PDB file of all heavy atoms in Angstrom:
ATOM      1  N   LYS A   7      33.514 -47.056-106.067  1.00 52.00           N
ATOM      2  CA  LYS A   7      34.331 -46.316-107.031  1.00 52.00           C
ATOM      3  C   LYS A   7      35.771 -46.819-106.961  1.00 52.00           C
ATOM      4  O   LYS A   7      36.426 -47.043-107.982  1.00 52.00           O
ATOM      5  CB  LYS A   7      34.304 -44.828-106.741  1.00 52.00           C
ATOM      6  CG  LYS A   7      35.154 -44.007-107.686  1.00 52.00           C
ATOM      7  CD  LYS A   7      35.107 -42.511-107.371  1.00 52.00           C
ATOM      8  CE  LYS A   7      36.013 -41.745-108.337  1.00 52.00           C
ATOM      9  NZ  LYS A   7      36.028 -40.315-108.049  1.00 52.00           N
ATOM     10  N   TYR A  33      49.395 -37.332-110.666  1.00 98.00           N
ATOM     11  CA  TYR A  33      48.537 -38.510-110.789  1.00 98.00           C
ATOM     12  C   TYR A  33      47.042 -38.145-110.669  1.00 98.00           C
ATOM     13  O   TYR A  33      46.191 -38.776-111.312  1.00 98.00           O
ATOM     14  CB  TYR A  33      48.953 -39.579-109.790  1.00 98.00           C
ATOM     15  CG  TYR A  33      50.119 -40.398-110.276  1.00 98.00           C
ATOM     16  CD1 TYR A  33      51.428 -40.044-109.952  1.00 98.00           C
ATOM     17  CD2 TYR A  33      49.908 -41.520-111.086  1.00 98.00           C
ATOM     18  CE1 TYR A  33      52.505 -40.776-110.427  1.00 98.00           C
ATOM     19  CE2 TYR A  33      51.003 -42.267-111.556  1.00 98.00           C
ATOM     20  CZ  TYR A  33      52.299 -41.872-111.238  1.00 98.00           C
ATOM     21  OH  TYR A  33      53.359 -42.620-111.690  1.00 98.00           O
ATOM     22  N   ALA A  34      46.730 -37.159-109.844  1.00 97.00           N
ATOM     23  CA  ALA A  34      45.328 -36.734-109.741  1.00 97.00           C
ATOM     24  C   ALA A  34      44.853 -36.172-111.089  1.00 97.00           C
ATOM     25  O   ALA A  34      43.718 -36.416-111.516  1.00 97.00           O
ATOM     26  CB  ALA A  34      45.194 -35.659-108.670  1.00 97.00           C
ATOM     27  N   SER A  35      45.722 -35.479-111.795  1.00 96.00           N
ATOM     28  CA  SER A  35      45.341 -34.913-113.093  1.00 96.00           C
ATOM     29  C   SER A  35      45.090 -36.005-114.136  1.00 96.00           C
ATOM     30  O   SER A  35      44.469 -35.762-115.153  1.00 96.00           O
ATOM     31  CB  SER A  35      46.450 -33.977-113.604  1.00 96.00           C
ATOM     32  OG  SER A  35      47.599 -34.686-114.055  1.00 96.00           O
ATOM     33  N   LYS A  36      45.567 -37.204-113.859  1.00 96.00           N
ATOM     34  CA  LYS A  36      45.365 -38.346-114.748  1.00 96.00           C
ATOM     35  C   LYS A  36      44.229 -39.262-114.280  1.00 96.00           C
ATOM     36  O   LYS A  36      44.061 -40.373-114.818  1.00 96.00           O
ATOM     37  CB  LYS A  36      46.667 -39.143-114.890  1.00 96.00           C
ATOM     38  CG  LYS A  36      47.800 -38.319-115.467  1.00 96.00           C
ATOM     39  CD  LYS A  36      47.521 -37.814-116.866  1.00 96.00           C
ATOM     40  CE  LYS A  36      48.683 -37.057-117.458  1.00 96.00           C
ATOM     41  NZ  LYS A  36      48.424 -36.583-118.836  1.00 96.00           N
ATOM     42  N   GLY A  37      43.494 -38.838-113.262  1.00 95.00           N
ATOM     43  CA  GLY A  37      42.329 -39.556-112.826  1.00 95.00           C
ATOM     44  C   GLY A  37      42.593 -40.645-111.792  1.00 95.00           C
ATOM     45  O   GLY A  37      41.695 -41.491-111.532  1.00 95.00           O
ATOM     46  N   TYR A  38      43.748 -40.670-111.198  1.00 96.00           N
ATOM     47  CA  TYR A  38      44.052 -41.683-110.171  1.00 96.00           C
ATOM     48  C   TYR A  38      43.369 -41.334-108.832  1.00 96.00           C
ATOM     49  O   TYR A  38      43.155 -40.164-108.525  1.00 96.00           O
ATOM     50  CB  TYR A  38      45.533 -41.763-109.926  1.00 96.00           C
ATOM     51  CG  TYR A  38      46.282 -42.641-110.922  1.00 96.00           C
ATOM     52  CD1 TYR A  38      46.468 -42.208-112.237  1.00 96.00           C
ATOM     53  CD2 TYR A  38      46.796 -43.881-110.565  1.00 96.00           C
ATOM     54  CE1 TYR A  38      47.146 -43.000-113.163  1.00 96.00           C
ATOM     55  CE2 TYR A  38      47.484 -44.664-111.462  1.00 96.00           C
ATOM     56  CZ  TYR A  38      47.645 -44.210-112.761  1.00 96.00           C
ATOM     57  OH  TYR A  38      48.309 -45.016-113.677  1.00 96.00           O
ATOM     58  N   ASN A  39      43.050 -42.364-108.083  1.00 96.00           N
ATOM     59  CA  ASN A  39      42.668 -42.206-106.683  1.00 96.00           C
ATOM     60  C   ASN A  39      43.910 -42.159-105.842  1.00 96.00           C
ATOM     61  O   ASN A  39      44.818 -42.992-106.003  1.00 96.00           O
ATOM     62  CB  ASN A  39      41.764 -43.365-106.225  1.00 96.00           C
ATOM     63  CG  ASN A  39      40.428 -43.348-106.931  1.00 96.00           C
ATOM     64  OD1 ASN A  39      39.744 -42.330-107.014  1.00 96.00           O
ATOM     65  ND2 ASN A  39      40.037 -44.507-107.475  1.00 96.00           N
ATOM     66  N   LEU A  40      44.001 -41.183-104.938  1.00 97.00           N
ATOM     67  CA  LEU A  40      45.203 -40.958-104.172  1.00 97.00           C
ATOM     68  C   LEU A  40      45.048 -41.366-102.705  1.00 97.00           C
ATOM     69  O   LEU A  40      44.036 -41.028-102.104  1.00 97.00           O
ATOM     70  CB  LEU A  40      45.604 -39.457-104.224  1.00 97.00           C
ATOM     71  CG  LEU A  40      45.689 -38.791-105.585  1.00 97.00           C
ATOM     72  CD1 LEU A  40      46.084 -37.320-105.420  1.00 97.00           C
ATOM     73  CD2 LEU A  40      46.652 -39.508-106.503  1.00 97.00           C
ATOM     74  N   ILE A  57      44.329 -30.285-104.057  1.00 97.00           N
ATOM     75  CA  ILE A  57      44.292 -31.257-105.147  1.00 97.00           C
ATOM     76  C   ILE A  57      42.845 -31.609-105.497  1.00 97.00           C
ATOM     77  O   ILE A  57      42.478 -31.722-106.668  1.00 97.00           O
ATOM     78  CB  ILE A  57      45.099 -32.510-104.755  1.00 97.00           C
ATOM     79  CG1 ILE A  57      46.582 -32.183-104.656  1.00 97.00           C
ATOM     80  CG2 ILE A  57      44.882 -33.638-105.780  1.00 97.00           C
ATOM     81  CD1 ILE A  57      47.427 -33.260-104.029  1.00 97.00           C
ATOM     82  N   ARG A  58      42.018 -31.765-104.474  1.00 96.00           N
ATOM     83  CA  ARG A  58      40.583 -32.079-104.728  1.00 96.00           C
ATOM     84  C   ARG A  58      39.904 -30.979-105.530  1.00 96.00           C
ATOM     85  O   ARG A  58      39.088 -31.262-106.410  1.00 96.00           O
ATOM     86  CB  ARG A  58      39.849 -32.258-103.398  1.00 96.00           C
ATOM     87  CG  ARG A  58      40.205 -33.505-102.623  1.00 96.00           C
ATOM     88  CD  ARG A  58      39.252 -33.713-101.457  1.00 96.00           C
ATOM     89  NE  ARG A  58      39.733 -34.748-100.547  1.00 96.00           N
ATOM     90  CZ  ARG A  58      40.380 -34.519 -99.414  1.00 96.00           C
ATOM     91  NH1 ARG A  58      40.610 -33.262 -99.024  1.00 96.00           N
ATOM     92  NH2 ARG A  58      40.783 -35.525 -98.657  1.00 96.00           N
ATOM     93  N   ASN A  61      40.893 -31.362-109.141  1.00 93.00           N
ATOM     94  CA  ASN A  61      40.675 -32.662-109.812  1.00 93.00           C
ATOM     95  C   ASN A  61      39.441 -33.354-109.209  1.00 93.00           C
ATOM     96  O   ASN A  61      39.548 -34.178-108.314  1.00 93.00           O
ATOM     97  CB  ASN A  61      41.906 -33.540-109.609  1.00 93.00           C
ATOM     98  CG  ASN A  61      43.171 -32.913-110.131  1.00 93.00           C
ATOM     99  OD1 ASN A  61      43.482 -32.951-111.323  1.00 93.00           O
ATOM    100  ND2 ASN A  61      43.927 -32.293-109.231  1.00 93.00           N
ATOM    101  N   LYS A  62      38.298 -32.998-109.754  1.00 88.00           N
ATOM    102  CA  LYS A  62      37.029 -33.494-109.214  1.00 88.00           C
ATOM    103  C   LYS A  62      36.818 -34.992-109.407  1.00 88.00           C
ATOM    104  O   LYS A  62      36.028 -35.589-108.700  1.00 88.00           O
ATOM    105  CB  LYS A  62      35.866 -32.724-109.852  1.00 88.00           C
ATOM    106  CG  LYS A  62      35.934 -31.205-109.664  1.00 88.00           C
ATOM    107  CD  LYS A  62      35.827 -30.820-108.208  1.00 88.00           C
ATOM    108  CE  LYS A  62      35.771 -29.310-108.039  1.00 88.00           C
ATOM    109  NZ  LYS A  62      35.696 -28.887-106.605  1.00 88.00           N
ATOM    110  N   ASN A  63      37.495 -35.574-110.374  1.00 86.00           N
ATOM    111  CA  ASN A  63      37.281 -36.996-110.672  1.00 86.00           C
ATOM    112  C   ASN A  63      38.195 -37.930-109.884  1.00 86.00           C
ATOM    113  O   ASN A  63      38.117 -39.152-110.040  1.00 86.00           O
ATOM    114  CB  ASN A  63      37.503 -37.241-112.177  1.00 86.00           C
ATOM    115  CG  ASN A  63      36.408 -36.572-113.009  1.00 86.00           C
ATOM    116  OD1 ASN A  63      35.272 -36.468-112.598  1.00 86.00           O
ATOM    117  ND2 ASN A  63      36.811 -36.113-114.210  1.00 86.00           N
ATOM    118  N   SER A  64      39.082 -37.376-109.089  1.00 90.00           N
ATOM    119  CA  SER A  64      40.009 -38.201-108.294  1.00 90.00           C
ATOM    120  C   SER A  64      39.592 -38.201-106.822  1.00 90.00           C
ATOM    121  O   SER A  64      39.203 -37.174-106.279  1.00 90.00           O
ATOM    122  CB  SER A  64      41.437 -37.666-108.385  1.00 90.00           C
ATOM    123  OG  SER A  64      41.941 -37.876-109.696  1.00 90.00           O
ATOM    124  N   MET A  65      39.671 -39.357-106.241  1.00 95.00           N
ATOM    125  CA  MET A  65      39.426 -39.453-104.795  1.00 95.00           C
ATOM    126  C   MET A  65      40.732 -39.262-104.075  1.00 95.00           C
ATOM    127  O   MET A  65      41.774 -39.830-104.457  1.00 95.00           O
ATOM    128  CB  MET A  65      38.820 -40.814-104.437  1.00 95.00           C
ATOM    129  CG  MET A  65      38.564 -40.996-102.943  1.00 95.00           C
ATOM    130  SD  MET A  65      37.663 -42.513-102.646  1.00 95.00           S
ATOM    131  CE  MET A  65      36.124 -42.114-103.459  1.00 95.00           C
ATOM    132  N   VAL A  66      40.722 -38.450-103.040  1.00 97.00           N
ATOM    133  CA  VAL A  66      41.942 -38.165-102.272  1.00 97.00           C
ATOM    134  C   VAL A  66      41.693 -38.474-100.810  1.00 97.00           C
ATOM    135  O   VAL A  66      40.908 -37.826-100.147  1.00 97.00           O
ATOM    136  CB  VAL A  66      42.376 -36.694-102.415  1.00 97.00           C
ATOM    137  CG1 VAL A  66      43.685 -36.453-101.693  1.00 97.00           C
ATOM    138  CG2 VAL A  66      42.482 -36.295-103.882  1.00 97.00           C
TER     139      VAL A  66
END
Side-chain angles (χ1 to χ4, degrees):
K7 179 180 178 181
Y33 278 92
S35 73
K36 299 298 182 179
Y38 277 72
N39 293 311
L40 310 180
I57 293 169
R58 290 189 191 100
N61 303 278
K62 302 296 185 182
N63 293 326
S64 291
M65 179 172 295
V66 184

